[in-house]
Structure formats: C-alpha cells, structure tokens
Amino acid sequence: MYTDYQKHLGQIISEIKEAGLYKNERIIVSPQGAEIELDSGQKVLNFCANNYLGLSNNSKLIEAAKKALDDHGYGMSSVRFICGTTDLHKELERKIADFFGTEDTILYAACFDANGGVFEPLLTEEDAIISDALNHASIIDGVRLCKAQRYRYNNADMEDLERQLQLAEKQRFRLIVTDGVFSMDGNVAPLDRIASLAEKYNAMVMVDESHSAGVVGKTGRGVTELYNLKGKIEIITGTLGKAFGGAIGGFTTGKKEIVELLRQRSRPYLFSNSIPPLVAAAGIKMVDMMTETNDLQDKLHRNSEYFIEKMTGLGFDIKPTRSAICAVMLYDAKLSQDFAARLLDEGIYVIGFYYPVVPKGQARIRVQLSAAHEIEHLDKAIKAFGKIGRELNVIK
Ligand SMILES: *Cc1c(COP(=O)(O)O)cnc(C)c1O
C-alpha cells in the first residue's frame, strides 16, 4: 500500500519543486534579533522576522520567564478548564483586556487556534460572516468550520463590503471579519469605515490584530487605537508570537459574553493544552512594559519612516503602508528571488514573495522593520538595496 502512496507523494513534491514553490528552512543558531547567525556561520541583519518591538530576546522577558519556571514549573499537562489555569494565565488575560480596552480575554495556544475556534461557537447557519478576501489562513479555516453563510469582499473595498452586507441582510446576525494589517502589502484595514458600515447594516466587527498589535497606533494598541475605536469592536484576536515577545500563544479579547461563551464551547480552548506559565509570565511583563513607556513603539515608528523615506528617495516603488511591513515592489517573480539572494550575500536577510502568495505580476521583497534595528542596520540595508537595485536595473 505505502509504495503507491509514496510514489503519489513524490509526484506532488516534485510538482511543488518544479513550480519553484518548495520551501526550505534557514537554520539560525543565535537568539532572534536584529543580527542573527546562520548555521553556515554567516551573520546577517534580519529584516524578515515579526519581531516588531525587538522583544524576542528581551532580558526583562527572559528574567520573568525564568522566575516563572522556578515558581510555577515547566508545563501544565492539562487544558484550561481541567487543571491548566494558573494565576499567571488569569492575570495575563486581564492585562490583555486592559491593554486593548476590552472587557475580557481568553488565551489560546496560538492565534491560529483563536481564529479557528471563534466562529463556530458564536454563529449558526442563520447568521452571516462577511470576510475580507485577503484575511489570514486561520480566519479562512475558522470560517470553514462554522455553519454561518459566507460572504467575501475584495480587500479593503468598502463598496464591495456594502454590497455583501446588503446580501447578508436576510440573515439573523452579521459579523464582519478583517485583518488589522494585511501581511503582504502592510496596508491597514479601513476600520473607521468598516465600523460605520457595521452600524448602518446592524453588524458586528472582528479584527485580527496579529500584525498591528504593538505596532499600529500611537501607543501600539493596534488598529482600534488608530481609528479611535477602542472598546467599540466586539471581537479582537491577536498573537503573542509577533510583536508581543514572539514566543507562542494567542488570544481573543472583546465583549464579556462572547468570551464567556468561548470558554464553554471553543474547541481549541477545550481540547488543547494551556500555554506554559513561563510564557504567561513573560506576557504579563510585556504588557507592563508597554504600559510604562512608549519607547519601543516610538523607535519602531521612527525606523519605519526612516527606511521608507530613504528607499523612496532611491527610487524604489514602495506600497503605501501604515505598519512595520514595507513591500518593495519588483513585479517580476524571478527578479524578486535574485534580488533577495543577492541581498543575503550582502548580509541582509529578506524574503521575496511571488505568485501564488501575492497576485501574478506583483512580486516583491517584504521588509519588516523592528525596534531592534539601529540606524546603522537600516543604513546598511538601504545601501545594499541601492547597490543591487542599480545592478539589476530596478533603480537608476
Ligand atoms: C501570524 C498570524 C496569525 C497566527 O498567529 P499564531 O499565533 O502564530 O498562530 C493569525 N492571524 C494573523 C493575521 C497573523 O498574521
């Protein structure tokens, strides 16, 4: 039996390779940071991590995690409602709600689980989910697990959203779902207009702040802060795996009845392990640090502005962005791969994306800025972009 199946898998894998879509892992032997060391011994500047605030190797978070290891041990060996809840889990849930100005929070092992487990308990076939076409894979999967009627609108297209809301008027309840920041372009969801349409058509709103929490808004409270909608959005999901320390963990925060029902019915919460106490402890420390000072957000915003200004000055075509994601448009798939490879030779680690990850003819290099970057890191990257851009005739 396995011989046939083995052949079948071999064929699929060669198709992936022929299409140039085979993914390889790059092996890092240092902590995550602005500068990382690869197993080849090469040291490179990292511009492709979601380490937006540079907290992945932050000494205060490490210290908090170590203390929790001593106080609370390593693992919980349980789901939350059996014997997997510590004081640290509860405190982190409270702190996340305070951070976003929401009523209550439920933690998950990852935001993938938060999104996977949010729709099915809350909505039935009588209801409607209206989802942005570029929403994250975990939202798409979560919607698939739910019996609600599905509507899709073109990315950030408010006319299309309105059309879909009109189609969904016949359903009992309506939930509009959007990423806060879309990961390939770095554009921010027009949440102000989404909220107005929600009001007009009597719908609720859910925002996934995974790429925006800690990043967008003056104090990093995300897209709801940017549009003065703190406390007004029914559901926010997010991750502890990006700006918030980068380890693992996700959450849903919002209206208290919603969170209460999720604790009763959300399957990834009921049937999957609790996050380790050390992760919760570091999360608490992270929220405390962000409440005390805005230094990291300010530095990230300065770095992003600096990088985009210099790159635009060199003549690069940069997608309009209000996040720490900067898409350097090259349009041609092969060019995006060659450009990224040449940058790595210069010690700059970035990823080139092309179809099907982005639309055909929209290949690009995605640069992710971080508060861990110093001006000299940015200058080195800008210089390398300039050199290779000229060599490959992308800029003059
Ligand atoms: C990264 C990401 C997720 C997944 O988060 P994990 O905690 O890594 O599972 C979900 N939604 C969006 C929008 C993301 O960018």
Side-chain angles (χ1 to χ4, degrees):
M1 174 64 207
Y2 190 66
T3 331
D4 286 348
Y5 190 62
Q6 193 178 33
K7 237 167 89 185
H8 169 72
L9 294 185
Q11 197 164 356
I12 296 174
I13 290 165
S14 17
E15 279 165 22
I16 297 173
K17 284 184 177 158
E18 276 156 32
L21 299 175
Y22 194 81
K23 293 178 189 63
N24 287 297
E25 294 169 346
R26 188 153 272 132
I27 296 165
I28 297 167
V29 295
S30 64
Q32 186 62 276
E35 191 180 54
I36 53 174
E37 186 178 343
L38 307 179
D39 63 347
S40 61
Q42 190 188 7
K43 290 202 174 125
V44 296
L45 294 180
N46 194 356
F47 284 89
C48 56
N50 302 312
N51 184 21
Y52 295 122
L53 296 176
L55 294 176
S56 303
N57 191 30
N58 180 278
S59 58
K60 288 182 185 154
L61 298 195
I62 293 170
E63 198 186 315
K66 280 183 178 164
K67 182 168 180 300
L69 263 180
D70 291 339
D71 297 345
H72 286 72
Y74 174 62
M76 289 311 298
S77 306
S78 174
V79 299
R80 286 288 300 278
F81 79 97
I82 298 182
C83 54
T85 300
T86 68
D87 52 335
L88 298 173
H89 294 90
K90 293 315 288 179
E91 189 181 346
L92 178 57
E93 288 180 337
R94 183 70 256 143
K95 293 224 146 135
I96 289 173
D98 292 344
F99 183 85
F100 287 101
T102 48
E103 293 174 1
D104 199 3
T105 307
I106 171 173
L107 290 172
Y108 289 86
C111 187
F112 208 104
D113 291 328
N115 287 334
V118 70
F119 302 105
E120 187 260 344
L122 299 177
L123 301 167
T124 73
E125 61 274 5
E126 289 180 79
D127 307 316
I129 299 171
I130 305 112
S131 180
D132 188 291
L134 290 191
N135 278 343
H136 190 262
S138 54
I139 294 179
I140 295 169
D141 285 7
V143 171
R144 280 187 190 142
L145 294 172
C146 173
K147 294 204 172 66
Q149 308 302 313
R150 299 170 199 168
Y151 298 87
R152 207 168 80 132
Y153 62 98
N154 296 326
N155 177 232
D157 179 339
M158 294 299 100
E159 275 170 37
D160 196 18
L161 172 59
E162 182 154 20
R163 264 194 304 277
Q164 303 306 318
L165 280 164
Q166 285 162 356
L167 292 173
E169 270 191 311
K170 53 186 179 293
Q171 267 87 45
R172 180 182 58 172
F173 299 120
R174 282 156 293 284
L175 177 66
I176 304 168
V177 187
T178 182
D179 279 12
V181 162
F182 294 91
S183 63
M184 284 299 142
D185 288 5
N187 59 317
V188 167
L191 201 62
D192 49 345
R193 292 156 69 204
I194 292 174
S196 315
L197 285 172
E199 195 161 313
K200 182 168 171 193
Y201 291 94
N202 197 21
M204 298 177 286
V205 179
M206 167 176 150
V207 188
D208 179 341
E209 297 266 25
S210 287
H211 278 290
S212 37
V215 174
V216 174
K218 198 169 169 349
T219 67
R221 266 61 176 171
V223 178
T224 60
E225 180 185 6
L226 186 67
Y227 290 112
N228 291 317
L229 290 164
K230 250 179 104 174
K232 301 211 175 98
I233 298 298
E234 282 80 10
I235 304 173
I236 293 172
T237 59
T239 181
L240 300 175
K242 291 188 171 112
F244 286 174
I248 192 85
F251 56 85
T252 299
T253 189
K255 299 294 179 199
K256 60 179 189 297
E257 300 79 8
I258 290 177
V259 172
E260 192 175 4
L261 187 59
L262 292 176
R263 282 193 209 283
Q264 302 308 311
R265 299 253 173 94
S266 181
R267 293 164 70 83
Y269 176 83
L270 295 174
F271 298 108
S272 189
N273 207 20
S274 298
I275 58 168
L278 68 107
V279 171
I284 293 165
K285 185 72 198 168
M286 177 276 299
V287 181
D288 286 349
M289 281 162 55
M290 293 215 210
T291 311
E292 276 160 29
T293 139
N294 213 33
D295 290 353
L296 292 176
Q297 276 89 3
D298 292 346
K299 188 172 174 200
L300 174 61
H301 295 159
R302 277 199 308 275
N303 282 352
S304 305
E305 280 163 26
Y306 181 86
F307 185 80
I308 287 161
E309 192 195 309
K310 297 277 175 189
M311 288 286 287
T312 309
L314 282 176
F316 282 105
D317 181 2
I318 310 276
K319 281 246 179 199
T321 176
R322 294 177 82 176
S323 65
I325 292 170
C326 170
V328 182
M329 299 306 293
L330 298 169
Y331 303 101
D332 181 74
K334 184 162 183 312
L335 177 62
S336 71
Q337 299 310 293
D338 292 346
F339 206 123
R342 304 268 286 264
L343 281 170
L344 193 66
D345 293 338
E346 300 286 327
I348 307 298
Y349 186 18
V350 289
I351 303 284
F353 289 98
Y354 56 101
Y355 182 80
V357 180
V358 294
K360 270 211 170 97
Q362 292 284 310
R364 69 203 54 191
I365 285 177
R366 180 176 74 173
V367 177
Q368 291 176 284
L369 283 312
S370 168
H373 293 136
E374 302 301 338
I375 290 292
E376 55 266 29
H377 298 142
L378 301 176
D379 284 339
K380 189 174 169 194
I382 293 158
K383 194 168 158 218
F385 263 101
K387 177 179 172 219
I388 293 157
R390 281 184 296 272
E391 282 170 16
L392 295 177
N393 288 319
V394 174
I395 55 166
K396 291 203 186 75

